[in-house]
Coordinates of all heavy atoms in Angstrom, one line a residue:
M1 N -13.4 -33.5 10.6 CA -12.8 -33.4 9.2 C -11.8 -32.2 9.3 O -12.1 -31.2 9.6 CB -14.0 -33.1 8.3 CG -13.5 -33.1 6.9 SD -14.8 -32.7 5.6 CE -13.9 -32.5 4.2
K2 N -10.6 -32.5 8.8 CA -9.5 -31.7 8.7 C -9.7 -30.6 7.5 O -10.0 -31.1 6.4 CB -8.2 -32.3 8.7 CG -7.1 -31.3 8.7 CD -5.6 -32.1 8.7 CE -4.5 -31.1 8.8 NZ -3.2 -31.8 8.9
T3 N -9.7 -29.3 7.7 CA -9.8 -28.3 6.6 C -8.5 -27.6 6.4 O -7.6 -27.6 7.2 CB -10.8 -27.2 7.1 OG1 -10.2 -26.7 8.3 CG2 -12.2 -27.8 7.3
N4 N -8.3 -27.2 5.2 CA -7.0 -26.6 4.8 C -7.1 -25.2 5.4 O -7.9 -24.5 5.3 CB -6.9 -26.5 3.3 CG -6.8 -27.8 2.6 OD1 -6.2 -28.7 3.1 ND2 -7.4 -27.9 1.4
K5 N -5.9 -24.8 6.0 CA -5.7 -23.6 6.6 C -5.6 -22.5 5.5 O -5.0 -22.7 4.5 CB -4.6 -23.6 7.6 CG -4.7 -24.4 8.8 CD -3.8 -24.2 9.8 CE -4.0 -25.0 11.1 NZ -3.1 -24.7 12.1
I6 N -5.9 -21.2 5.8 CA -5.6 -20.0 5.0 C -4.2 -19.7 5.3 O -3.9 -19.2 6.5 CB -6.7 -18.9 5.3 CG1 -8.2 -19.4 5.1 CG2 -6.4 -17.7 4.4 CD1 -9.0 -18.4 5.6
K7 N -3.4 -19.8 4.3 CA -1.9 -19.4 4.5 C -1.7 -17.9 4.3 O -2.0 -17.5 3.1 CB -1.1 -20.2 3.6 CG -1.2 -21.8 3.8 CD -0.3 -22.6 3.0 CE -0.2 -24.1 3.2 NZ -1.6 -24.7 3.3
V8 N -1.3 -17.2 5.3 CA -1.3 -15.8 5.3 C 0.2 -15.3 5.3 O 1.0 -15.9 6.2 CB -2.1 -15.1 6.5 CG1 -2.1 -13.6 6.6 CG2 -3.6 -15.6 6.2
V9 N 0.5 -14.2 4.7 CA 1.7 -13.4 5.0 C 1.3 -12.0 5.4 O 0.4 -11.4 4.8 CB 2.5 -13.3 3.7 CG1 3.8 -12.3 3.7 CG2 3.2 -14.8 3.3
V10 N 2.0 -11.6 6.4 CA 1.9 -10.2 6.9 C 2.9 -9.2 6.4 O 4.1 -9.4 6.5 CB 1.7 -10.1 8.4 CG1 1.5 -8.7 8.9 CG2 0.7 -11.2 8.9
T11 N 2.5 -8.1 5.8 CA 3.6 -7.2 5.2 C 3.2 -5.8 5.8 O 2.1 -5.3 5.6 CB 3.4 -7.1 3.7 OG1 3.4 -8.5 3.1 CG2 4.5 -6.3 3.1
D12 N 4.3 -5.4 6.5 CA 4.1 -4.0 7.2 C 5.7 -3.6 7.7 O 6.3 -4.6 8.0 CB 3.4 -4.1 8.4 CG 2.9 -2.8 9.0 OD1 3.8 -2.0 9.5 OD2 1.7 -2.5 8.8
D13 N 5.8 -2.3 7.6 CA 7.2 -1.9 8.0 C 7.4 -1.8 9.5 O 8.5 -1.5 9.9 CB 7.5 -0.6 7.2 CG 6.8 0.5 7.7 OD1 5.6 0.3 8.2 OD2 7.1 1.7 7.6
H14 N 6.4 -2.0 10.2 CA 6.5 -2.0 11.8 C 6.5 -3.5 12.3 O 5.4 -4.1 12.2 CB 5.4 -1.2 12.4 CG 5.5 0.3 12.1 ND1 4.8 0.8 11.1 CD2 6.2 1.3 12.8 CE1 5.2 2.2 11.1 NE2 5.9 2.3 12.0
E15 N 7.6 -4.0 12.7 CA 7.6 -5.4 13.2 C 6.9 -5.6 14.4 O 6.3 -6.8 14.5 CB 9.2 -5.8 13.3 CG 9.4 -7.3 13.2 CD 10.8 -7.6 12.9 OE1 11.7 -6.8 12.9 OE2 11.1 -8.8 12.6
V16 N 6.7 -4.6 15.2 CA 5.8 -4.9 16.3 C 4.4 -5.1 16.0 O 3.8 -6.0 16.5 CB 6.0 -3.6 17.3 CG1 4.8 -3.8 18.4 CG2 7.3 -3.4 17.9
L17 N 4.0 -4.5 14.9 CA 2.6 -4.6 14.6 C 2.5 -6.0 13.9 O 1.4 -6.6 14.1 CB 2.1 -3.6 13.5 CG 0.8 -3.5 13.0 CD1 0.3 -2.2 12.8 CD2 0.5 -4.4 11.7
I18 N 3.4 -6.4 13.2 CA 3.5 -7.8 12.6 C 3.3 -8.8 13.5 O 2.6 -9.7 13.5 CB 4.8 -8.0 11.6 CG1 4.7 -7.2 10.4 CG2 4.8 -9.5 11.2 CD1 5.9 -7.3 9.6
D19 N 4.2 -8.7 14.7 CA 4.2 -9.7 15.7 C 2.9 -9.8 16.4 O 2.4 -10.8 16.8 CB 5.4 -9.5 16.6 CG 6.8 -9.7 16.0 OD1 6.8 -10.3 15.0 OD2 7.7 -9.1 16.6
G20 N 2.4 -8.6 16.5 CA 1.0 -8.4 17.2 C -0.1 -9.2 16.5 O -0.9 -9.9 16.9
L21 N -0.1 -9.0 15.1 CA -0.9 -9.6 14.1 C -0.8 -11.2 14.1 O -1.7 -11.9 14.2 CB -0.8 -9.2 12.7 CG -1.6 -7.8 12.5 CD1 -1.3 -7.3 11.1 CD2 -3.0 -7.9 12.7
I22 N 0.5 -11.6 14.2 CA 0.7 -13.0 14.3 C 0.1 -13.7 15.6 O -0.4 -14.8 15.5 CB 2.3 -13.4 14.2 CG1 2.7 -12.9 12.7 CG2 2.5 -14.8 14.5 CD1 4.3 -13.0 12.5
A23 N 0.3 -13.0 16.7 CA -0.1 -13.5 17.9 C -1.6 -13.5 18.0 O -2.3 -14.4 18.6 CB 0.4 -12.6 19.1
L24 N -2.3 -12.5 17.5 CA -3.8 -12.4 17.2 C -4.3 -13.5 16.4 O -5.3 -14.0 16.7 CB -4.2 -10.9 16.7 CG -5.7 -10.7 16.6 CD1 -5.8 -9.1 16.8 CD2 -6.3 -11.1 15.3
L25 N -3.6 -13.9 15.4 CA -4.1 -15.0 14.5 C -3.7 -16.4 14.9 O -4.4 -17.3 14.5 CB -3.7 -14.7 13.1 CG -4.1 -13.4 12.4 CD1 -3.3 -13.1 11.1 CD2 -5.6 -13.3 12.2
A26 N -2.8 -16.5 15.7 CA -2.3 -17.7 16.2 C -3.4 -18.8 16.7 O -3.4 -19.9 16.3 CB -1.2 -17.6 17.2
P27 N -4.3 -18.3 17.4 CA -5.2 -19.2 18.0 C -6.4 -19.7 17.1 O -7.2 -20.7 17.2 CB -6.0 -18.5 19.2 CG -5.2 -17.3 19.3 CD -4.5 -17.0 18.1
E28 N -6.5 -19.1 15.9 CA -7.6 -19.5 15.0 C -7.2 -20.7 14.0 O -6.1 -20.8 13.5 CB -7.7 -18.4 13.8 CG -8.0 -17.0 14.4 CD -9.2 -16.9 15.4 OE1 -10.3 -17.6 14.9 OE2 -9.2 -16.4 16.5
P29 N -8.1 -21.6 14.2 CA -7.7 -23.0 13.6 C -7.7 -23.0 12.2 O -7.1 -24.0 11.7 CB -8.9 -23.8 14.3 CG -10.0 -23.0 14.5 CD -9.4 -21.7 14.9
D30 N -8.3 -22.2 11.5 CA -8.3 -22.2 10.0 C -7.4 -21.2 9.4 O -7.4 -20.9 8.2 CB -9.6 -22.0 9.6 CG -10.3 -20.6 10.1 OD1 -9.8 -20.1 11.1 OD2 -11.2 -20.1 9.3
I31 N -6.5 -20.4 10.2 CA -5.7 -19.5 9.6 C -4.2 -19.7 10.1 O -4.0 -20.0 11.3 CB -6.0 -18.0 10.1 CG1 -7.5 -17.7 9.6 CG2 -5.0 -16.9 9.6 CD1 -8.0 -16.4 10.2
E32 N -3.3 -19.7 9.2 CA -1.9 -19.9 9.6 C -0.9 -18.8 8.9 O -1.0 -18.7 7.7 CB -1.4 -21.2 9.0 CG 0.1 -21.6 9.4 CD 0.5 -22.9 8.8 OE1 -0.3 -23.5 8.0 OE2 1.7 -23.2 9.1
V33 N -0.3 -18.0 9.7 CA 0.7 -17.0 9.3 C 2.0 -17.8 8.8 O 2.6 -18.3 9.8 CB 1.1 -16.0 10.2 CG1 2.0 -15.0 9.8 CG2 -0.4 -15.3 10.5
I34 N 2.3 -17.8 7.6 CA 3.5 -18.5 7.1 C 4.7 -17.7 6.8 O 5.7 -18.2 6.3 CB 3.1 -19.5 6.0 CG1 2.7 -18.6 4.8 CG2 2.1 -20.5 6.4 CD1 2.6 -19.4 3.5
G35 N 4.6 -16.3 7.0 CA 5.6 -15.5 6.5 C 5.4 -14.1 6.8 O 4.2 -13.7 7.1
K36 N 6.4 -13.2 7.0 CA 6.2 -11.7 7.2 C 7.2 -11.0 6.3 O 8.3 -11.5 6.0 CB 6.3 -11.4 8.5 CG 7.7 -11.8 9.2 CD 7.9 -11.5 10.8 CE 9.2 -11.7 11.3 NZ 9.1 -11.4 12.7
A37 N 6.9 -9.8 6.0 CA 7.9 -9.0 5.1 C 7.8 -7.5 5.6 O 6.7 -7.1 6.0 CB 7.4 -9.1 3.7
L38 N 8.8 -6.8 5.6 CA 8.8 -5.5 6.1 C 8.7 -4.4 4.9 O 8.7 -3.3 5.1 CB 10.1 -5.2 6.9 CG 10.5 -5.9 8.2 CD1 11.8 -5.7 8.7 CD2 9.4 -5.6 9.1
N39 N 8.8 -4.9 3.6 CA 8.6 -4.1 2.5 C 8.2 -4.8 1.3 O 8.2 -6.1 1.3 CB 9.7 -3.2 2.2 CG 11.0 -3.9 2.0 OD1 11.1 -4.8 1.1 ND2 11.9 -3.8 2.7
G40 N 7.8 -4.3 0.2 CA 7.4 -5.0 -1.0 C 8.3 -5.9 -1.5 O 8.0 -6.9 -1.9
Y41 N 9.7 -5.4 -1.5 CA 10.8 -6.4 -2.1 C 10.9 -7.6 -1.2 O 11.0 -8.8 -1.8 CB 12.2 -5.6 -2.1 CG 12.0 -4.4 -3.2 CD1 12.4 -3.2 -2.9 CD2 11.8 -4.8 -4.5 CE1 12.4 -2.2 -3.8 CE2 11.9 -3.9 -5.6 CZ 12.1 -2.6 -5.2 OH 12.1 -1.7 -6.2
Q42 N 10.8 -7.6 0.1 CA 10.9 -8.7 0.9 C 9.7 -9.5 0.6 O 9.8 -10.9 0.5 CB 10.9 -8.3 2.3 CG 12.2 -7.7 2.9 CD 12.3 -7.5 4.3 OE1 11.5 -8.1 5.1 NE2 13.3 -6.9 4.9
L43 N 8.6 -9.0 0.4 CA 7.4 -9.7 0.1 C 7.6 -10.6 -1.3 O 7.2 -11.7 -1.3 CB 6.2 -8.9 0.0 CG 4.9 -9.5 -0.5 CD1 4.3 -10.6 0.5 CD2 3.9 -8.4 -0.8
L44 N 8.0 -9.9 -2.3 CA 8.2 -10.6 -3.6 C 9.2 -11.7 -3.5 O 9.0 -12.9 -4.1 CB 8.6 -9.5 -4.7 CG 7.5 -8.5 -5.0 CD1 8.0 -7.5 -5.9 CD2 6.2 -9.1 -5.6
K45 N 10.2 -11.5 -2.7 CA 11.2 -12.5 -2.5 C 10.6 -13.8 -1.8 O 10.9 -14.9 -2.2 CB 12.3 -12.0 -1.8 CG 13.5 -12.9 -1.7 CD 14.7 -12.3 -0.9 CE 15.9 -13.3 -0.7 NZ 17.1 -12.7 -0.1

Side-chain angles (χ1 to χ4, degrees):
M1 180 178 176
K2 186 177 180 180
T3 59
N4 293 328
K5 291 188 176 183
I6 304 167
K7 296 180 175 60
V8 175
V9 168
V10 182
T11 306
D12 195 289
D13 63 335
H14 292 94
E15 200 156 9
V16 171
L17 187 143
I18 291 178
D19 291 343
L21 284 174
I22 292 173
L24 183 148
L25 297 175
E28 304 302 317
D30 58 335
I31 299 171
E32 180 183 6
V33 178
I34 62 169
K36 61 183 180 180
L38 297 175
N39 58 59
Y41 287 123
Q42 287 187 14
L43 172 65
L44 293 173
K45 184 176 180 180

